[in-house]
Amino acid sequence: MLISEFDYELPDELIAQEPLRRRTDSRMLIVNRAQQNWRDAKFQDFPELINPGDVLVLNNTKVFPARLVGNRQNLTGKIELFLIRELPDKTWETLARPARRLGTGTNLVFGDGKLTAKVLQKKPDGHLIVAFETDGDFAEILETVGQTPLPPYIRRQEKPTAADRERYQTVFAKEKGAVAAPTAGLHFTPQVIEQVRARGAEIVEITLHVGYGTFEPVRAADLSAHKVSPEQSEISLPAAEIINRARRDKRRIVSVGTTTTRALESATNERGEIEAGARESALTITPGYKFKTVSALLTNFHLPESSLLVLVSTFAGHQLMMSAYAHAVAHKYRFYSYGDCMFVT
């Protein structure tokens, strides 16, 4: 299939710029694959859709403040760095804006000198390799100097706020390492999790550190040539055993988010079993892929022509998903990270 087949029109006013007052206030479109239909609901209804014996799988990755705003040493003019990933030699791969001002050897200053960096390399794709210097612990200083890495489609006058640091994080976030939130999990509260458990479901946590690759534009016109960059993931042995037992018993595996889905499917072996351990999840899910583990999927609404929309469409069926998206646009659902959600059963 062509990536152009996953395009749709979205008015700017439907892109959520702020979170709702309460996490559970989001709307939810319930999409039924077997019946090829959908209905409007509220996320507050989600626990009622969980069956006894279901396994709900959450991604417990934690977003770190990956956005840095500073300047070139001894020069004015704002420079932004977005931290993509830490490399084995403790340098960082980054995106910069404006990148044209930053050549090899450029020194950068952040947080009134609390953190400095030197550009070591400019890669062919425009990414910069930088080395940071600080007098204290880098991670601790990053927490004070860095900003919440809100997606670029959240266009506000003010910088990310303290409220963003709390709301652009799931209530079950534990393992620091993501540059973006697993947004389907943003709707949950501890109360909702307890309601799901009270329905007789099991809840397990896995980790996939959401990286830039999840949101990188699809540059191949033909999806057969598209590859999503690997992301670090880990599934514990107890979590794998719970999921494998449920699959043997023909119980549903309900995945919260595309990142959770990618981690689960990447960890499924040829026998259809989840293999515990840490790995690079390098699986690219495109039409024709047969899902081995995930039975139902809670997800937010994704950008046109994105790898995430392709994944969800592969799970639900292309025609059904694009029709459901058209319904969501027509009925003014809120889109993207701080937006509403969809439950595909």
Side-chain angles (χ1 to χ4, degrees):
M1 296 184 71
L2 303 177
I3 189 60
S4 58
E5 297 177 65
F6 296 85
D7 195 12
Y8 65 93
E9 293 292 329
L10 181 69
D12 285 345
E13 61 267 22
L14 297 187
I15 301 174
Q17 298 297 310
E18 304 275 355
L20 296 173
R21 188 173 67 86
R22 295 184 300 184
R23 291 176 183 266
T24 56
D25 283 348
S26 298
R27 297 167 71 189
M28 181 172 64
L29 187 65
I30 303 173
V31 179
N32 189 303
R33 293 181 292 167
Q35 298 179 9
Q36 291 286 291
N37 60 17
W38 56 79
R39 62 183 175 90
D40 301 303
K42 297 277 192 180
F43 179 73
Q44 295 164 353
D45 303 326
F46 180 75
E48 299 173 13
L49 303 173
I50 298 300
N51 303 322
D54 283 353
V55 176
L56 185 75
V57 188
L58 307 173
N59 181 4
N60 66 9
T61 189
K62 188 173 185 179
V63 180
F64 69 96
R67 182 172 178 259
L68 290 167
V69 179
N71 56 273
R72 288 178 292 171
Q73 192 173 46
N74 301 322
L75 293 171
T76 58
K78 185 173 73 172
I79 295 292
E80 293 188 21
L81 276 191
F82 183 82
L83 307 185
I84 295 177
R85 63 191 179 102
E86 187 175 12
L87 302 176
D89 62 358
K90 303 301 180 182
T91 62
W92 282 80
E93 183 175 354
T94 70
L95 286 173
R97 188 172 61 179
R100 66 181 183 276
R101 299 182 185 176
L102 305 180
T104 300
T106 302
N107 292 306
L108 307 173
V109 180
F110 306 98
D112 297 324
K114 294 178 183 176
L115 188 64
T116 61
K118 185 172 187 175
V119 179
L120 302 180
Q121 177 189 354
K122 180 175 281 190
K123 298 176 64 179
D125 60 8
H127 294 186
L128 302 180
I129 305 300
V130 305
F132 287 100
E133 293 183 3
T134 177
D135 291 333
D137 181 78
F138 174 76
E140 291 180 2
I141 292 175
L142 188 63
E143 286 293 331
T144 61
V145 174
Q147 297 179 7
T148 302
L150 294 179
Y153 47 74
I154 296 181
R155 302 184 180 96
R156 303 186 196 144
Q157 293 296 324
E158 75 276 12
K159 66 181 183 180
T161 65
D164 288 313
R165 187 161 289 208
E166 186 263 330
R167 289 300 301 273
Y168 195 63
Q169 197 83 268
T170 66
V171 298
F172 43 81
K174 295 183 180 70
E175 304 296 334
K176 188 181 296 184
V179 302
T183 55
L186 296 179
H187 308 283
F188 285 82
T189 63
Q191 291 76 23
V192 169
I193 292 172
E194 286 308 310
Q195 289 169 7
V196 168
R197 191 171 280 116
R199 295 279 297 178
E202 294 183 274
I203 299 175
V204 300
E205 296 180 4
I206 66 172
T207 304
L208 183 136
H209 292 312
V210 186
Y212 175 71
T214 292
F215 305 98
E216 195 170 14
V218 178
R219 295 185 172 88
D222 188 330
L223 284 173
S224 64
H226 171 58
K227 297 295 180 186
V228 177
S229 298
E231 294 168 311
Q232 294 296 320
S233 66
E234 184 168 2
I235 300 177
S236 68
L237 181 59
E241 289 175 342
I242 289 171
I243 296 167
N244 288 333
R245 185 165 57 247
R247 293 187 76 260
R248 289 194 296 270
D249 295 342
K250 310 294 186 188
R251 292 183 277 133
R252 285 198 311 177
I253 309 301
V254 180
S255 176
V256 177
T258 54
T259 59
T260 305
T261 299
R262 189 174 184 226
L264 289 172
E265 295 293 320
S266 294
T268 306
N269 63 26
E270 294 179 355
R271 300 186 301 276
E273 299 171 335
I274 294 287
E275 293 185 344
R279 61 180 51 81
E280 280 197 337
S281 292
L283 176 66
T284 298
I285 295 176
T286 55
Y289 176 80
K290 302 299 182 185
F291 286 81
K292 303 176 180 67
T293 295
V294 175
S295 315
L297 170 62
L298 181 75
T299 181
N300 277 22
F301 293 93
H302 303 293
L303 278 71
E305 298 188 347
S306 64
S307 61
L308 302 182
L309 177 55
V310 172
L311 184 155
V312 177
S313 297
T314 302
F315 184 75
H318 177 259
Q319 183 174 350
L320 176 62
M321 186 50 48
M322 299 311 292
S323 297
Y325 264 63
H327 171 87
V329 171
H331 288 77
K332 300 188 183 305
Y333 275 68
R334 301 167 71 251
F335 277 66
Y336 305 164
S337 293
Y338 277 150
D340 296 318
C341 59
M342 169 187 292
F343 186 40
V344 186
T345 66

